[in-house]
């Protein structure tokens, strides 16, 4: 669970009222931003749970592009995509989703009372609560997603939400997720031990290998 800033959510409520923007689209925009960064994709497709559905609480497909520009631009695209997905939700309710965004409890004070039962195809379900105890509750399949992954997503969302609340007209690309420190860790910290290179060049190493194993096959083509 990742606790969210009540001040940032209060700012979003003011923006929703002053700018006539849907609160749900303001909440979805940073979630879309985070998923797009993690997937390295210009668009995302996820399952979406909304309040007061007539389909038994089944998630419907939510697909949206992630445009360049400001948070305002992203919110506008998300709002259009959300309206389109709501119109089509009846036809997409049975579709399996790796990731489900659950905003059906957004106005509640608490998250799910007990364990969330994930569908067979869902690896991660994100439940957003924005009441007196705002938080992002993340439920995952432990054999597919390790415990650190949901924690990181929660931190990314909190950072993105605060960035949007600070300035709706700021470029959302200005916010880099993951952080530079985490990129460094994945690129270099997880690369394994440093192995010193030999003094000889490759042709010399190849020649020495041939002399040591003259009957070995050097190259084999498999068709």
């Amino acid at each position: 669970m990742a606790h969210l800033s009540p001040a940032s959510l209060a700012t979003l409520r003011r923006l929703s009222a002053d700018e006539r923007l849907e609160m749900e689209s303001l909440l979805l925009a940073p979630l879309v931003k985070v998923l797009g960064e993690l997937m390295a994709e210009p668009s995302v497709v996820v399952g979406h749970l909304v309040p007061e559905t007539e389909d038994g609480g089944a998630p419907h497909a939510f697909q949206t592009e992630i445009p360049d520009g400001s948070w305002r631009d992203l919110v506008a695209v998300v709002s259009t995509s959300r309206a389109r997905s709501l119109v089509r939700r009846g036809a997409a309710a049975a579709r399996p989703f790796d990731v489900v965004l659950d905003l059906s409890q957004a106005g509640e004070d608490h998250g799910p009372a007990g364990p969330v039962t994930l569908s067979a195809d869902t690896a991660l379900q994100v439940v957003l609560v924005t009441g007196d105890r705002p938080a992002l509750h993340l439920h995952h399949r432990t054999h597919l997603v390790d415990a650190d992954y949901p924690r990181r997503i929660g931190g990314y969302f909190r950072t993105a939400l605060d960035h949007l609340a600070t300035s709706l007209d700021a470029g959302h690309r200005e916010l880099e997720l993951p952080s530079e420190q985490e990129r460094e860790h994945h690129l270099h910290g997880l690369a394994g031990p440093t192995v010193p290179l030999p003094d000889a060049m490759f042709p010399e190493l190849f020649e020495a290998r041939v002399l040591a194993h003259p009957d070995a096959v050097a190259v084999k083509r498999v068709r």
Side-chain angles (χ1 to χ4, degrees):
M1 180 175 65
H3 296 284
L4 305 177
S5 166
S8 291
L9 289 171
T11 299
L12 291 193
R13 293 187 183 97
R14 287 196 298 271
L15 285 173
S16 177
D18 295 344
E19 303 280 349
R20 297 185 179 180
L21 298 171
E22 297 170 332
M23 185 63 181
E24 185 163 338
S25 296
L26 287 168
L27 294 170
L28 276 173
L31 281 170
V32 166
K33 163 74 174 178
V34 169
L35 293 176
E37 291 284 346
L38 292 176
M39 299 174 183
E41 295 288 348
S43 63
V44 298
V45 181
V46 296
H48 185 208
L49 280 168
V50 297
E52 301 176 359
T53 59
E54 299 176 356
D55 47 24
H60 62 273
F62 172 70
Q63 178 175 359
T64 185
E65 301 295 320
I66 304 175
D68 291 330
S70 66
W71 282 108
R72 186 187 298 274
D73 297 326
L74 179 55
V75 170
V77 171
V78 165
S79 181
T80 300
S81 300
R82 175 175 170 271
R84 187 185 303 119
S85 71
L86 289 173
V87 170
R88 299 175 179 174
R89 70 185 180 190
R95 177 176 172 178
F97 301 101
D98 294 331
V99 178
V100 173
L101 304 181
D102 183 357
L103 274 70
S104 66
Q105 304 177 55
E108 302 294 329
D109 293 334
H110 303 278
V116 171
T117 301
L118 303 179
S119 68
D121 300 290
T122 300
L124 176 69
Q125 182 155 327
V126 181
V127 183
L128 181 61
V129 175
T130 60
D132 291 339
R133 299 178 180 178
L136 201 65
H137 299 259
L138 300 111
H139 308 271
H140 64 285
R141 293 193 179 278
T142 55
H143 68 286
L144 296 175
V145 177
D146 64 27
D148 186 56
Y149 188 68
R151 180 188 61 79
R152 286 164 47 214
I153 290 180
Y156 296 155
F157 174 71
R158 183 169 51 229
T159 300
L161 185 72
D162 292 346
H163 195 266
L164 185 160
T166 299
S167 176
L168 186 61
D169 292 309
H172 68 84
R173 300 288 186 195
E174 297 174 6
L175 178 64
E176 292 191 0
L177 300 171
S179 66
E180 186 62 32
Q181 293 84 351
E182 186 166 355
R183 290 177 192 270
E184 182 73 14
H185 173 66
H186 283 281
L187 290 173
H188 303 289
L190 300 179
T194 301
V195 178
L197 296 174
D199 294 331
M201 301 295 287
F202 176 76
E204 298 170 312
L205 294 172
F206 189 84
E207 182 179 2
R209 188 75 175 174
V210 170
L211 292 174
H213 305 277
D215 298 324
V217 177
V219 178
K220 180 185 291 186
R221 181 181 181 186
V222 179
R223 301 187 65 179

